[in-house]
Amino acid sequence: MEIKSRDFKKNASDALADATLQKALKNVEAGFIGKRQASVDALPEFEDLRDLGRDIKTHALKHLDVYLEDYEKKVTASGGHVHWAETAQDACEIVRDICHSVGARTMTKGKSMISEEMQLNAFLEADGMEVTETDLGEYIIQLRGEHPSHIIAPAVHVTKDQVEADFRRAHTNLDPNRNLDDPVTLLGEAREVLREKYFAADVGITGANFLVAESGSSVIVTNEGNGDLTQTLSRVHIVLASIEKVIPTLNDLDVFLRLLARSATGQEQSVYTTLSTGPRRTEDPDGPEEYHVVLLDNGRSEMLGTDFEEMLRCIRCGACINHCPVYHAVGGHAYGWVYPGPMGSVLTPSLVGVDKAGHLPNASTLCGRCESVCPMRIPLPKMLRHWREREYERHLNPTPQRWGLKGWAYFARRPKLYHRTMRIGMRVMKYLAPQTALMRRLPAAGGWTKHREFPAPEGKTFQQMWAEREAERGQTKGDAA
Amino acid sequence: MSERHDNSAAKSAILGKIRRSLASVSEGADPNRNEARQEVQERLASRPKGIVPKRAQVGHYEKVAMFMDYAERVSSTTARIGSYDDLPGAITQYLREHNLPQAIVMGEDPRLKAVNWRTEPQLERTIGPSDGTDLVGVNHAMGGVAETGTAVLASGPDNPTTINFLPENHIIVLDANDIAGDYESIHDQLRDMSGVAHMPRALNMITGPSRSGDIEQKIMLGAHGPRAVHVIVIG
């Protein structure tokens, strides 16, 4: 999808003024945070599992080349094909060529974030293919001509009333006077419409949550069952996976299965965890005749050995997004590319360049909630700071900001001067706000005071007050003795 | 397969980039990756088990009870019967209680084949995969996982995958002796004596009926797969 991360500031302002979006975003906090906590509390081993999951992924990444080769051998032995794609464009062409080789015209798709990275739907549609998204959320946004605003809840920005309007517009063969008040009727309608698509599809595409080197299996973890119908009923199953998805063994998979659903939706386990290994066997009465895996690099191999290697541990649970106050305020589309929230703010500059995505690492308060819930213990705030450093080094941020930082650095390196200046500053600010405890205007901080008042300093710096408090405590102690 | 895409060149390019990136952080890295290969082979052979939750490490009786408890928590229904002889009656009873026709689709699983179905002559059985018109499908699970109430089903003629997903009502038959505490035990059953995993084409780990939260994050049952899952535990 086209990269619009440069417009983050404008996108964010628009999002804050969008009442429908704000209503929909309320569901993020309500729908995810409490449920995650409850499921985590119910498993005493959860924190230890996080450590173990981190260590397994770290090991897999350090041996990524070897695991990928072993994985490929197993897939080939089970009758499947592995295709290697350096870029998103290559991956699109590989999928198109597979489709051509079997004369495919129609395709169903389970949820896949890297297909968004590849802009696969647009590519295939331009080639004359009919592509249908089958995950309910993905189907809704496909009807709306939008992109996912969340990696596990793609239509979280859409309200029920909007879905109803979209269905009435798209499903013109149904009775226009039908009652769609209950969301369950919307679900039922999508179920009926998509059932026909599964049976008609020549090719079914799914993503992969994991690739298991031990067995050559691709694994999808879902709740709806659309991914399974997509891959079972099509003649050809194509798995899209990025290279960092490979893990060593089935026992390792079990570690991740205990972390993923709890971190994502707060379920103890997702409804369907499916391990697929090769195409239909001779004796099988169902399943796809061909099984292909497209392994996409698209910049990931170059993240290894850098400050951003740890990002490749990400298992795409969405917990960091669900807990991010910035995401709660502006939603996913403001981030301007495929991956929103904290994980997106780290990953997007890695994959598309910090010159195109420099606003994203700055769209964070560095509050640390993301890291505190990440099942892979990815130090997201640290990596956001790394991106800010890169941005500064490459002179990508605006001149006033650079001057401001330089000015601050000058004082910060001279503690005595810093304290003296701060003391004067505090007195001045107190003088500027003599009557109330809040300031309506503040020079050079219009962005703050335009929306809220600034708490006025009380005339002393923190250091001064701390010193006074310590002195007082010393006094009291002395008295008691 | 493709004229435009040279697969082995792309593979070499990607693996080369990975090796260069990894070598940039390790001194005197071996381009043949012999040490890395050995470490990987050792890890694949030893397959260390991770952390198995304490709650999964209990006796047989508790495992069966836990399996049924967790299955019900995720909106499955459960029943427990003494032997395979009681299975036809348990199925017809479920169908009656849910106003469903006395008709099922099922595979060729020998344990289900051996059942004396004549005790319920009104029950119509179709053998084979589902074509999407069946209201009720019956499959035999290869095992159950107590820690989350998960049933594990292997694809093949015995238990076709389509039966897991197409009929609105899915009845899963499970032998109580096949209920394990944890996922690892089930995966162990797929390995032969020398430790090699023999995977069915599809291994479906199923935890409750299909659901979606994609409209305003409110969970609704019956998305694309079954609206109802009923697990009959035998023994």
Side-chain angles (χ1 to χ4, degrees), chain A residues 27 32 42-43 45 48-49 52 59 61-70 72 82-86 94 96-97 134-137 153 156 159-160 183-184 186-187 191 194-195 198-199 214-215 217 223-224 226 228-229 233 248 250-252 254-255 258 262 268-281 283-288 297 301-302 304-305, chain B residues 1-2 4-5 7 10-11 13-15 17-19 21-22 24-25 33 36-37 39-41 43-44 47-55 70 73 129 131-132 147-148 150 155-157 160-162 165-166 168 182-184 187 191 195-197 199-212 214-227:
Chain A
N27 297 321
F32 290 108
L43 188 72
E45 293 86 355
D48 293 338
L49 281 161
L52 186 58
H59 165 84
L61 291 171
K62 296 286 179 215
H63 302 79
L64 184 58
D65 51 335
V66 184
Y67 278 119
L68 285 170
E69 285 182 301
D70 281 11
E72 183 191 34
V82 173
H83 308 263
W84 301 75
E86 284 188 82
I94 290 167
R96 179 200 59 199
D97 291 349
T134 59
D135 173 86
L136 178 61
V156 72
T159 62
K160 186 245 145 200
V184 174
L186 292 169
L187 178 70
R191 180 186 168 106
L194 290 168
R195 268 295 162 104
Y198 296 120
F199 282 102
E214 177 189 1
S215 59
S217 312
N223 279 316
E224 296 185 4
N226 64 303
D228 286 283
L229 287 168
L233 297 175
L250 295 167
N251 286 346
D252 296 316
D254 299 333
V255 172
R258 293 188 180 103
R262 290 182 173 96
E268 303 237 18
Q269 190 51 271
S270 300
V271 177
Y272 301 115
T273 298
T274 297
L275 286 70
S276 302
T277 316
R280 181 194 289 219
R281 315 262 162 95
E283 68 281 12
D284 278 354
D286 49 23
D297 181 345
S301 58
E302 278 153 15
L304 289 167
Chain B
M1 175 209 67
S2 149
R4 251 167 284 202
H5 184 73
N7 203 35
K11 176 181 172 181
I14 292 171
L15 294 179
K17 274 195 257 183
I18 294 172
R19 283 175 194 141
S21 295
L22 290 173
S24 68
V25 284
R33 303 281 282 147
R37 277 174 214 282
E39 283 164 8
V40 165
Q41 288 323 308
R43 196 160 192 306
L44 288 175
R47 304 185 300 277
K49 267 187 196 176
I51 298 163
V52 174
K54 271 221 173 66
R55 79 182 188 208
Y70 275 98
R73 288 192 204 190
D131 60 4
E147 65 171 295
T148 47
T150 301
S155 66
T161 309
T162 39
F165 295 99
L166 284 171
E168 282 195 18
D182 50 76
Y183 309 120
E184 283 85 346
H187 290 152
R191 298 192 183 96
V196 177
M199 304 298 290
R201 182 191 60 75
L203 188 76
N204 296 117
M205 302 168 67
I206 299 178
T207 314
S210 148
R211 68 200 62 198
S212 175
D214 274 344
I215 299 175
E216 298 194 348
Q217 308 325 108
K218 290 179 189 67
I219 304 299
M220 299 178 282
L221 294 185
H224 297 278
R227 294 177 205 270

Side-chain angles (χ1 to χ4, degrees), chain A residues 297-481:
Chain A
D297 181 345
N298 210 28
R300 287 164 175 83
S301 58
E302 278 153 15
M303 291 168 69
L304 289 167
T306 71
D307 287 338
F308 305 101
E309 176 178 314
E310 291 179 276
M311 190 61 221
L312 296 173
R313 291 203 300 263
C314 177
I315 56 171
R316 304 289 190 269
C317 69
C320 61
I321 298 171
N322 295 338
H323 289 74
C324 178
V326 177
Y327 182 92
H328 292 163
V330 301
H333 287 155
Y335 291 79
W337 200 52
V338 179
Y339 303 102
M343 58 79 66
S345 297
V346 172
L347 193 59
T348 305
S350 304
L351 298 182
V352 308
V354 70
D355 51 328
K356 294 197 186 78
H359 280 311
L360 302 185
N362 291 296
S364 166
T365 62
L366 302 180
C367 70
R369 283 171 88 181
C370 48
E371 185 176 356
S372 74
V373 295
C374 174
M376 293 294 110
R377 296 203 192 280
I378 298 171
L380 290 154
K382 186 180 91 182
M383 289 193 284
L384 291 170
R385 281 197 297 273
H386 283 319
W387 274 126
R388 293 181 186 187
E389 288 157 19
R390 301 285 163 95
E391 196 192 18
Y392 186 83
E393 284 161 11
R394 292 180 54 186
H395 297 263
L396 292 170
N397 37 5
T399 314
Q401 196 185 344
R402 300 181 64 79
W403 278 92
L405 281 171
K406 271 190 189 155
W408 183 81
Y410 178 85
F411 286 102
R413 279 189 300 230
R414 293 164 178 80
K416 275 187 187 160
L417 181 64
Y418 183 91
H419 294 315
R420 216 175 301 143
T421 319
M422 285 299 280
R423 280 202 289 273
I424 297 166
M426 289 305 110
R427 271 191 230 129
V428 172
M429 283 174 81
K430 193 188 178 192
Y431 171 78
L432 286 175
Q435 303 302 328
T436 75
L438 295 165
M439 305 178 77
R440 265 172 237 267
R441 273 184 303 159
L442 193 61
W448 176 289
T449 52
K450 199 169 136 193
H451 298 288
R452 52 222 183 283
E453 295 175 335
F454 191 83
E458 293 175 8
K460 285 178 183 168
T461 68
F462 173 77
Q463 303 254 5
Q464 277 175 303
M465 290 198 277
W466 181 261
E468 280 170 20
R469 200 184 92 133
E470 287 299 287
E472 220 167 84
R473 276 178 60 181
Q475 195 81 40
T476 331
K477 262 190 195 165
D479 290 350

